[in-house]
Amino acid sequence: MKRLLLLLFILVSGKLFAQASDFILLQKHNQTVASFYKGNDISFITTSGAAIDAQITAIRNDSIFLSQYI
């Protein structure tokens, strides 16, 4: 019984400390405006005026990889 409880505790505690490894914080004047993670939807307007609505597929080396659907 003690071994079962110990095993259960180990399995549950491993899941509790999981967190997203990659994220982007959007800050303005040291205030966090938004945070983005892999799998989130994002919408913005580019400098050329094009509106982008997409899903974040990956975040690596300060780059965001998007999947845009029609």
Side-chain angles (χ1 to χ4, degrees), residues 1-11:
M1 183 68 178
K2 289 183 181 180
R3 288 184 184 183
L4 179 63
L5 287 175
L6 179 63
L7 180 64
L8 182 64
F9 177 73
I10 290 171
L11 292 175

Side-chain angles (χ1 to χ4, degrees), residues 37-58:
Y37 299 92
K38 178 182 173 184
N40 281 20
D41 291 328
I42 187 170
S43 60
F44 56 93
I45 299 175
T46 63
T47 55
S48 63
I52 304 291
D53 293 318
Q55 183 179 28
I56 300 173
T57 57

